[in-house]
Each structure stands twice: as C-alpha cells, then as structure tokens.
Amino acid sequence: ILSAVINTVIRPRLKCIEGELCLITGAGGVLGRLFALEFAKEGAHLVLWDCNTAANEQTAALARELGVQVHVYTVDLSQRHSIYHTADRVRQEAGQVSILVNNAGVVAGRRLLECPDELLERTLLVNCHALFWMTKAFLPQMKSSNHGHIITVASALGLFSTACVEDYCASKFGAVGFHESLTHELHAENLNGIKTTLVCPYIVDTGMFEGCEIRQELRSLIPPLEPLYTVQQSMQAILSEQQMICIPRLMYIPFLTRA
Ligand SMILES: NC(=O)C1=CN([C@@H]2O[C@H](COP(=O)(O)OP(=O)(O)OC[C@H]3O[C@@H](n4cnc5c(N)ncnc54)[C@H](OP(=O)(O)O)[C@@H]3O)[C@@H](O)[C@H]2O)C=CC1
Ligand SMILES: CC1=C(/C=C/C(C)=C/C=C/C(C)=C/C=O)C(C)(C)CCC1
C-alpha cells in the first residue's frame, strides 16, 4: 500500500520490457486480451494461454498486427497435468518466460446450496491452484537469471468479501495470500530481480458477473469499471514494479477497514 501511495504522488519511471517473453493466461477473455495488446505495445513477445482456442487465436491475430511474436496454446488450467505439459512445450517452442500474468479466472455464479460441487471446485482449481502449478513451472528459470515478474490478477474480493460469491472469495483470498507469501519468499532469498504485482479490481464490465445476483446491487453503488481503464491502470503498476494495486483506489478503504 505504501508503494501504491508513493507511486501516486511521485510518477515513477516505467521499466522497458521490449523483447521479453510474456505469458498471459485467460488471453481469450476480455482483460486477458487487453493485457496481451498492452504488453505487445510495449514490445514484449507473447505466449497466450486459454481453454477457448478461437478466442485465443483472435487475441493472437490482434497482437501480431502490433509486430510481436505470438505463441498460442490451448490449455485447461483446472488440470495440473495440462499446465505442466503445456509449460514444457512453451519452454521448447517459445523460450524463457520472464513475465507471467496469471489472469484467467472463473466464478460459479450460483447460490452455494444450489451450486453443483464440481463448479465450486473448478473456481478454486482455476483461480487458486493454477497459481501453484504456473509458478512451479516458470519460476525456476526466472530464479536462474534472478530476473522476472509474476503478476497475480486477483480481485477486490480477495481483500474483503460480499454475499453469494463464496467460491470466488475463497479463491481470490487464496490468490492474495499466495502473492504475499511468494513475495516474502523472493525477498528472503534475495531474489530482488524477480518482481511481483497483485491486481485487485472492483467489478469490471466484461460479462464475467453477468447473471450473478451481486451485479444488480453493485450497479447502483458504483458503476463497473471499464476493461481498458482497468488494464491500463494495472500496466502502470506492473511497469513501475508496484507490489499491489486496487482499482479504483476507493477499494483500499474496505480492505484497510475490513468492511
Ligand atoms: N470481470 C470482473 O468483474 C473482474 C474480474 N477479475 C479477474 O480478472 C480476470 C479476468 O477476468 P475477465 O477478463 O473478466 O474474464 P473472462 O471470462 O472475460 O476471461 C477469462 C478467460 O479465461 C478462460 N478460462 C476459464 N477457465 C479456464 C480454464 N480452466 N483453462 C484455461 N482458460 C480458462 C476463459 O475461457 P471461457 O470464456 O471459454 O471460459 C476466458 O477466455 C479473472 O481472474 C477475474 O477473476 C477481477 C475483478 C473483477
Ligand atoms: C465493501 C464496499 C463496497 C462493495 C464492494 C464490492 C461488493 C465489490 C465487489 C467486487 C467484485 C464483484 C469483484 C470481482 O472480482 C462499496 C460498495 C464499493 C463501497 C465501499 C465498501
């Protein structure tokens, strides 16, 4: 939080990531695609992961127009072996990933007692467990060069909670805990060349919470964020190596007061 405050007052220098290899999960989705295009604009080559092959290919086509190299992989992030297998292919075919954007996420979107068990489990597998496997797959190479950046796209609902999203809150609180512990570990091991950034947005207009009860209540409180604004704010935080960002800043308040 302190670094977020400092970065708001003093505009920090943004790092150059030209020529680096950036892997984005959920790259066929709304925020994933925008992340891909923003990283491409910065000159990073891309490795795009999604279970939705057609949507992922569309992202790839848009990114290639910006002149960067793009590798596309269809993967099921709820399956540990799918992650490890695809990571092996990435290392052989694309090279060393130095920026990892763990963006893919799902929500069950149903009342707990009416929700099939598998749907609840899937939220934890994709939003939380996948962070372990992605990091186990790609951190070793970052460690060997003491260079890299791991971005966790969590949510404001990883910092405080609301009704009817038990699976989502559990997974995003897990993601926040994961990010914090990993950050401590890298610091303790003096791996100061490997950065971490936690992204915690309020609801974004992407369709993810379409049909969830929570959405109607929220509309009248604060309107959903624009996807592009959300990603551009996140990019500022990433490129200035900020450890955490809440979007909008108002979201720091329920976090600090645990409303
Ligand atoms: N939208 C919001 O209000 C907010 C979103 N976030 C977080 O931002 C991130 C991106 O969200 P957003 O862009 O809105 O979501 P989208 O649903 O638009 O994109 C998510 C992408 O991930 C893919 N995906 C889902 N499950 C898997 C899987 N098992 N394996 C591989 N890919 C998978 C989806 O494919 P398919 O469409 O086929 O399922 C989709 O392409 C998520 O982590 C979300 O929790 C945080 C705060 C607010
Ligand atoms: C606590 C609290 C609020 C509620 C925030 C909620 C309910 C956020 C939901 C975010 C979602 C759905 C994120 C998805 O990833 C307000 C009204 C902003 C005002 C300040 C206090």
Side-chain angles (χ1 to χ4, degrees), residues 125-197:
L125 291 173
V126 175
N127 298 6
C128 192
H129 292 204
L131 302 176
F132 299 142
W133 322 136
M134 292 301 291
T135 306
K136 286 191 80 171
F138 294 104
L139 181 59
Q141 283 189 324
M142 294 185 193
K143 272 184 146 184
S144 61
S145 54
N146 187 21
H147 176 75
H149 201 143
I150 299 180
I151 294 111
T152 306
V153 181
S155 165
L157 294 184
L159 303 172
F160 59 85
S161 58
T162 188
C164 303
V165 272
E166 289 85 353
D167 62 316
Y168 193 73
C169 280
S171 71
K172 294 298 187 178
F173 270 69
V176 172
F178 173 83
H179 156 85
E180 288 184 358
S181 182
L182 177 66
T183 306
H184 290 312
E185 179 174 332
L186 294 170
H187 187 70
E189 291 183 8
N190 280 323
L191 288 164
N192 300 324
I194 306 176
K195 310 296 177 186
T196 58
T197 299

Side-chain angles (χ1 to χ4, degrees), residues 4-217:
V5 171
I6 293 168
N7 282 359
T8 305
V9 182
I10 310 159
R11 282 259 157 245
R13 262 193 47 186
L14 303 183
K15 70 173 168 183
C16 173
I17 54 165
E18 198 176 337
E20 301 220 19
L21 188 59
C22 171
L23 189 158
I24 301 167
T25 66
V30 178
L31 298 183
R33 176 169 299 168
L34 290 169
F35 270 119
L37 299 179
E38 291 300 313
F39 276 104
K41 282 182 201 160
E42 296 295 323
H45 301 300
L46 301 175
V47 176
L48 305 180
W49 281 23
D50 206 288
C51 60
N52 184 334
T53 309
N56 206 18
E57 289 288 357
Q58 269 180 15
T59 303
L62 292 168
R64 286 190 186 109
E65 282 174 21
L66 297 169
V68 298
Q69 291 163 24
V70 185
H71 289 79
V72 183
Y73 296 88
T74 300
V75 56
D76 182 356
L77 291 161
S78 69
Q79 304 284 329
R80 176 161 42 102
H81 296 294
S82 177
I83 293 178
Y84 284 154
H85 172 73
T86 314
D88 285 342
R89 286 186 54 203
V90 168
R91 275 188 291 271
Q92 283 163 23
E93 296 165 11
Q96 187 164 337
V97 170
S98 58
I99 304 172
L100 177 56
V101 186
N102 285 311
N103 160 77
V106 292
V107 60
R110 300 207 216 156
R111 287 277 175 123
L112 182 67
L113 299 185
E114 285 139 32
C115 188
D117 295 349
E118 293 72 23
L119 214 53
L120 294 165
E121 253 167 12
R122 187 187 66 140
T123 308
L124 267 296
L125 291 173
V126 175
N127 298 6
C128 192
H129 292 204
L131 302 176
F132 299 142
W133 322 136
M134 292 301 291
T135 306
K136 286 191 80 171
F138 294 104
L139 181 59
Q141 283 189 324
M142 294 185 193
K143 272 184 146 184
S144 61
S145 54
N146 187 21
H147 176 75
H149 201 143
I150 299 180
I151 294 111
T152 306
V153 181
S155 165
L157 294 184
L159 303 172
F160 59 85
S161 58
T162 188
C164 303
V165 272
E166 289 85 353
D167 62 316
Y168 193 73
C169 280
S171 71
K172 294 298 187 178
F173 270 69
V176 172
F178 173 83
H179 156 85
E180 288 184 358
S181 182
L182 177 66
T183 306
H184 290 312
E185 179 174 332
L186 294 170
H187 187 70
E189 291 183 8
N190 280 323
L191 288 164
N192 300 324
I194 306 176
K195 310 296 177 186
T196 58
T197 299
L198 175 70
V199 177
C200 293
Y202 173 68
I203 194 162
V204 190
D205 223 342
T206 69
M208 185 177 190
F209 287 84
E210 213 72 57
C212 293
E213 287 171 64
I214 185 179
R215 205 164 185 284
Q216 289 316 316
E217 294 160 28

